[in-house]
Amino acid sequence: MLKFAMTMMRRFADLPPHTVLGMPSLSPTMTTGTMVKWLKKEGDKVNPGDIMFEVETDKATLGYEVQDQVFVAKILAQAGSPPMPLGAPIAILVDKADRIAAFKNYQSDSESTKSQELIKNSQKDEPKHDENIRMSPAAHHMIDEYHLNTKNIPASGPRGLILKEDVLSFIESNKSPKETQKKLEEIKVPEKKTSQDYEKNLVSNIRAPRFSVASNINLEEAIKFIGKDNIQAFIIKAAVSSCKIVPEANSKFFPEFTRYYDYVDLQVSLYEKKLKKYFLKDSQGKRIEEIKEAFKKEGTGQANFALSFSSEGNEIATPDVAALLSVGPEFLQVVKSGEGFKSQKFVTCTLNCDHRAVDGAVGANWLKTFKGFIENPVSLL
């Protein structure tokens, strides 16, 4: 989950301890963000895993998921406000409810000044990246630091991914200023490791930065096509097929590379009266009947994609995968039908992604593909 971009505010003796939440970076190419909707209001408590607000980036509209328990003391950027640069103050947060009242009439010219400075700085010339060129987080950081053109860097990673080693090789093969050479001396090139070495070191106390994209999906055509009793298996089949079309979502992040899988080992969590977990190995080759058969026996395994069903709206913890699809409870929504209106069954589907492996464009593309299969089930044949 994305860490807060905060600055401690200690300038005002009459205010209790608080933090200023800055506009977060939700996309590798994002320079500004537009506040679309606040899902929490002033005075609300925000728990770990909650989506606090939605921001429109250069890629898609994404939800901001918090990591720690906080309270919203003051909202500084209202929905519909002009695009704001990264780091621009958007909210005041406190860790105790009794501190909220102190910020009721909070106004700070310094924060306004800071925002203007950030806008001015964001308009300066910066290294341009081709949005179609993919790069690892470490490579992206170095490319920005040394103001390099990505078009000149040969990529050795899977599917044209630029790795940190590619950037180092490019810099070393070209004459650089003395300051750059000095920085390069401080960078240690990691020793080559096997995939087994990486998997042994996956356990970490640091939680991965994650973001979410959501969509309300119409189930009517799918129910007519496959039947109510088969709808869960059909959703799984559609998710697996989407992973084949958008393989970037069927991946796993490692310290020096991102691995993409040709197969889909799927973990399914189903919450009815209690939480049950199922494991579908090589699910890309399974038919609807085989998927339903797998639900007769619980089990877990090393999955590279995960899916959860929650008939009562219960939250299910996100496992250590690049992407997890959460399917909420069914609800009725009025839609236009001919010259009149009628109620149809919908479900909210949320794709929660590891931002180190999956960016906003990939997440949005996967969810669009998945929605297309559900609302036009014949396309899945």
Side-chain angles (χ1 to χ4, degrees), residues 127-263:
K128 304 298 182 182
H129 302 318
D130 187 334
E131 294 185 1
N132 296 319
I133 296 179
R134 303 175 60 254
M135 62 195 84
S136 70
H140 190 279
H141 175 75
M142 291 185 64
I143 288 170
D144 280 346
E145 183 177 1
Y146 298 116
H147 301 277
L148 303 177
N149 190 329
T150 52
K151 295 182 179 180
N152 299 328
I153 304 175
S156 63
R159 302 178 186 276
L161 183 73
I162 297 178
L163 304 176
K164 179 180 179 180
E165 289 86 346
D166 299 330
V167 182
L168 287 171
S169 298
F170 174 78
I171 297 176
E172 291 173 352
S173 63
N174 292 272
K175 293 183 179 180
S176 305
K178 292 183 179 180
E179 292 185 4
T180 302
Q181 294 291 353
K182 184 177 181 181
K183 290 182 179 179
L184 285 174
E185 293 174 0
E186 299 174 355
I187 300 175
K188 295 182 179 180
V189 179
E191 297 180 1
K192 296 293 183 181
K193 297 182 180 180
T194 65
S195 60
Q196 288 81 4
D197 293 328
Y198 286 121
E199 294 195 15
K200 289 179 182 178
N201 293 309
L202 278 179
V203 178
S204 173
N205 291 326
I206 301 176
R207 302 177 72 179
R210 305 190 75 89
F211 71 91
S212 300
V213 287
S215 179
N216 291 333
I217 299 178
N218 193 322
L219 296 178
E220 290 294 324
E221 291 300 320
I223 293 175
K224 292 177 184 178
F225 180 77
I226 199 69
K228 179 64 177 177
D229 294 339
N230 296 321
I231 193 65
Q232 280 189 343
F234 182 76
I235 288 175
I236 292 173
K237 182 70 175 177
V240 172
S241 298
S242 299
C243 287
K244 297 296 292 181
I245 294 177
V246 189
E248 292 86 353
N250 184 38
S251 61
K252 182 170 289 188
F253 174 83
F254 291 88
E256 295 299 329
F257 61 88
T258 299
R259 175 173 293 164
Y260 301 90
Y261 297 89
D262 291 329
Y263 56 89

Side-chain angles (χ1 to χ4, degrees), residues 60 172 191 269 310 339 357:
E172 291 173 352
E191 297 180 1
S269 300
S310 180
E339 297 182 357

Side-chain angles (χ1 to χ4, degrees), residues 297-315:
K297 183 179 180 180
E298 293 187 56
T300 57
Q302 292 295 321
N304 42 281
F305 190 86
L307 190 152
S308 70
F309 291 96
S310 180
S311 59
E312 300 177 3
N314 301 78
E315 293 185 1

Side-chain angles (χ1 to χ4, degrees), residues 7-39:
T7 304
M8 292 302 296
M9 301 290 291
R10 301 182 183 278
R11 296 189 293 272
F12 307 101
D14 58 334
L15 292 176
H18 63 283
T19 57
V20 175
L21 173 62
M23 176 62 72
S25 175
L26 303 178
S27 166
T29 58
M30 175 182 173
T31 57
T32 62
T34 301
M35 189 63 63
V36 175
K37 179 170 66 174
W38 279 92
L39 303 179

